[in-house]
Amino acid sequence: MTSVTIGNSVTSIGWYAFKGCKGLTSITIPNSVTSIGNEAFFGCSSLTSITIGSGIKTIRESAFAKCSELTDVYCDAESVPSTNATAFTDSYIEYATLHVPELALEAYKTTAPWSSFKSFVSLENDDQLYDMTINVGSAFGKVTYGTADVTNGQQTFNVKGSEEVVLTLTPNDGFKVSHVTVNGEDRTADVVNGQFALGKLTANTTVSISFGVAGEFVEVTIGSDKIATFCTAGDVDFTSVEGVKAYIGSIFNRQTGSLTLTRAYDVPAGTGLLIKGEPGTYEIPYSQSFSITSNLLKGVMTATNISATEDGYANYILGSGSKGVGFYKVGAEGTMVAAGHAYLQIPASSPAASRSAVSLRFDDEDEATGVDDAARLNNKDEIINNSVLFDLQGRRVEKPQRGVYIRDGKKVVVK
């Protein structure tokens, strides 16, 4: 038996009436029924949905016991029926949802065995639509809802309150699910075998998922130029790494085309960096990082073809050319930046954007490195009278006192 129609003249369902009907997948009991007898639906192991009419008064022993596939019970009765404690034994109602009238919700929640259901939904809300916003914080995996895939960014869906929502989380190769939150609450532990069971919605809901690198460290290789660009998908920490330093592009002198690089230690995922050290391969540990702002280096996680200009910026790539090691302007034909590297962007309106190369100044070192190198100046009068000076935060200084300043992209000392 796979289906049953119970007429509106029926007032009770007797003992063992449908016991062991393993083909039944759903049953609707009309409003005329006031009592359900012992083991009436015992062992209906394919039964997933039960609808009980508003006239029900009594549900006896093991009436719906061993209905092991049960996911939803709809009960229209506004008064909780007298229900034997064994009515749902071994039917796993701790994983099922109970749908009852709005005014009776609290009564069902506090009355056994109904109180053992996993979740409670108002019948009035079953057809109500809610906004479910899926927010994916990185491009290192996808979230699938139905037939829709969400990657880096967010998408909002209209979801019925009666729908059981399950999301599939698929990291890219070498990545893992880092965090899952629902309206700000951490639910990462609820991801099982790539599935996240959100359940039924009772309000507008935002689900945020992030993917991170699987592993403890990332390898970076520095070639014979002793300098390279770098970018990685995970937060990394250079603090304890011997033989290599990491820098962000912090200050750009628009007049002279000189880039000042500031030492970076703990670095967020996706940050463009310049790294410096002896030739070799280094292991950089992953570690949660704080954010970095004002970085002129733009990292790429996949091989990216960049043009000479982009959104009002002129683009430069690291290289070794006629003026030494530095950032050289991208030609009109464009160029490819390899995955896990970075390039420099400076405003196209800057006078220096016409220069073929950008010199490098490392703020933790006395000696300048790179193109257009010039002697350091220490004469106070010459510095004040003939220079535009900036402090180490990039702010123009009209009346310098003793200390270290930046002039034409180089450090100078006022004594």
Side-chain angles (χ1 to χ4, degrees), residues 14-35:
W15 289 25
Y16 318 126
F18 301 98
K19 182 176 180 178
C21 291
K22 297 182 179 180
L24 285 177
T25 58
S26 65
I27 187 73
T28 299
I29 298 168
N31 294 337
S32 58
V33 172
T34 60
S35 67

Side-chain angles (χ1 to χ4, degrees), residues 295-366:
N295 185 15
L296 299 170
L297 296 172
K298 186 173 182 179
V300 298
M301 291 311 307
T302 59
T304 302
N305 189 37
I306 62 171
S307 57
T309 59
E310 174 186 348
D311 297 330
Y313 288 88
N315 294 330
Y316 290 73
I317 60 169
L318 185 68
S320 180
S322 60
K323 296 184 177 181
V325 176
F327 280 98
Y328 286 81
K329 193 171 186 179
V330 174
E333 68 280 5
T335 191
M336 184 68 69
V337 176
H341 288 268
Y343 61 101
L344 172 66
Q345 287 194 320
I346 62 174
S349 60
S350 168
S354 61
R355 298 170 63 92
S356 62
V358 171
S359 59
L360 310 178
R361 312 292 170 194
F362 297 90
D363 72 353
D364 63 330
E365 299 177 3
D366 290 335

Side-chain angles (χ1 to χ4, degrees), residues 172-200:
N172 293 347
D173 290 344
F175 294 85
K176 65 179 180 181
V177 177
S178 292
H179 295 97
V180 176
T181 62
V182 177
N183 293 333
E185 178 187 358
D186 190 349
R187 295 278 300 277
T188 310
D190 295 334
V191 179
V192 179
N193 295 326
Q195 301 288 310
F196 175 61
L198 178 60
K200 293 179 171 66

Side-chain angles (χ1 to χ4, degrees), residues 27 48 52 66 75 77 90 97 106 119 128 138 150 185 207 212 246 249 318 346 360 378:
I27 187 73
T48 61
I52 303 172
K66 291 191 179 296
C75 186
D90 294 331
T97 299
E106 291 305 316
S119 55
Q128 183 171 335
S138 63
V150 184
E185 178 187 358
V207 184
L318 185 68
I346 62 174
L360 310 178
N378 294 305

Side-chain angles (χ1 to χ4, degrees), residues 49-272:
S49 175
I50 298 169
T51 299
I52 303 172
S54 60
I56 191 70
K57 303 295 183 185
T58 305
I59 300 175
R60 300 192 182 279
E61 289 93 330
S62 302
F64 299 102
K66 291 191 179 296
C67 297
S68 54
E69 295 297 319
L70 196 59
T71 60
D72 292 274
V73 173
Y74 300 81
C75 186
D76 290 326
E78 293 186 352
S79 296
V80 181
S82 174
T83 309
N84 188 274
T86 64
F88 296 99
T89 297
D90 294 331
S91 292
Y92 306 113
I93 60 173
E94 62 270 26
Y95 301 106
T97 299
L98 178 63
H99 308 251
V100 294
E102 176 75 31
L103 293 176
L105 266 175
E106 291 305 316
Y108 279 93
K109 287 180 180 180
T110 56
T111 305
W114 304 96
S115 56
S116 296
F117 277 83
K118 176 184 178 181
S119 55
F120 300 82
V121 177
S122 164
L123 284 169
E124 288 81 355
N125 289 340
D126 272 353
D127 291 327
Q128 183 171 335
L129 292 176
Y130 298 102
D131 288 340
M132 179 180 67
T133 300
I134 298 176
N135 181 28
V136 182
S138 63
F140 311 124
K142 67 179 180 180
V143 176
T144 302
Y145 166 62
T147 59
D149 290 334
V150 184
T151 54
N152 192 19
Q154 70 177 31
Q155 190 169 345
T156 299
F157 302 88
N158 290 323
V159 179
K160 279 189 175 182
S162 58
E163 179 183 345
E164 191 78 35
V165 177
V166 178
L167 305 178
T168 301
L169 315 183
T170 309
N172 293 347
D173 290 344
F175 294 85
K176 65 179 180 181
V177 177
S178 292
H179 295 97
V180 176
T181 62
V182 177
N183 293 333
E185 178 187 358
D186 190 349
R187 295 278 300 277
T188 310
D190 295 334
V191 179
V192 179
N193 295 326
Q195 301 288 310
F196 175 61
L198 178 60
K200 293 179 171 66
L201 303 187
T202 58
N204 294 339
T205 301
T206 298
V207 184
S208 298
I209 299 101
S210 62
F211 298 96
V213 179
E216 297 181 358
F217 60 83
V218 62
E219 289 188 346
V220 57
T221 300
I222 300 177
S224 57
D225 287 335
K226 301 183 180 182
I227 198 168
T229 58
F230 177 66
C231 178
T232 188
D235 294 358
V236 288
D237 186 0
F238 284 84
T239 303
S240 59
V241 181
E242 296 291 336
V244 63
K245 296 179 181 180
Y247 299 86
I248 60 169
S250 56
I251 302 172
F252 179 71
N253 188 313
R254 292 171 177 245
Q255 300 298 322
T256 65
S258 175
L259 174 68
T260 297
L261 295 134
T262 300
R263 186 85 180 268
Y265 295 91
D266 57 328
V267 180
T271 302

